Amino acid sequence: MNTTSPLCHEALLTLARKLEGAASDLDRDRVESAARRLIDALIDHTRAEHVALTRLPPETARELARGQQRLVDDLVELAVDVHDGDLRRCDGLAQQLIAELATQADDERRSGIAAAMS
């Protein structure tokens, strides 16, 4: 777990774009490193948002929590592909992750979580 402040949505997107670049280059070491940094940052980010989620209407909180879990699941799937040597699939997964992360960030902003963390 990170001992500094959790990264904001834009910083998480930057890490995801670095992951996509490494996957596009088929650079296994960079993909592994970028995926590790992103998963650690995403976990810290979601932990920091946990209290704010509990203050939302239950359905909104569940929807946002599902989105967060989907991001973690996608990163785990990408890590498995890297481990199995399937780097070609990682590029598509990284692009999907960027899109989902952008959508999640927008949803969290609309719900007021981003303001609660500031």
Side-chain angles (χ1 to χ4, degrees), residues 86-108:
D86 191 0
L87 290 178
R88 295 204 182 276
R89 193 168 118 78
C90 291
D91 187 33
L93 285 171
Q95 291 173 15
Q96 176 182 324
L97 187 65
I98 291 167
E100 289 177 356
L101 188 54
T103 299
Q104 182 74 16
D106 289 343
D107 291 347
E108 290 178 6

Side-chain angles (χ1 to χ4, degrees), residues 18-37 78-88 90:
K18 288 181 178 183
L19 172 60
E20 191 274 331
S24 178
D25 291 344
L26 301 177
D27 185 329
R28 182 184 179 131
D29 291 337
R30 282 180 39 226
V31 170
E32 286 178 343
S33 177
R36 197 171 319 116
R37 281 194 310 272
L78 188 140
V80 167
D81 284 348
V82 171
H83 182 266
D84 292 345
D86 191 0
L87 290 178
R88 295 204 182 276
C90 291

Side-chain angles (χ1 to χ4, degrees), residues 53 60-70 104 108:
L53 277 176
T60 302
R62 279 191 296 274
E63 182 180 320
L64 292 174
R66 278 192 300 268
Q68 291 174 341
Q69 186 59 52
R70 192 170 32 254
Q104 182 74 16
E108 290 178 6

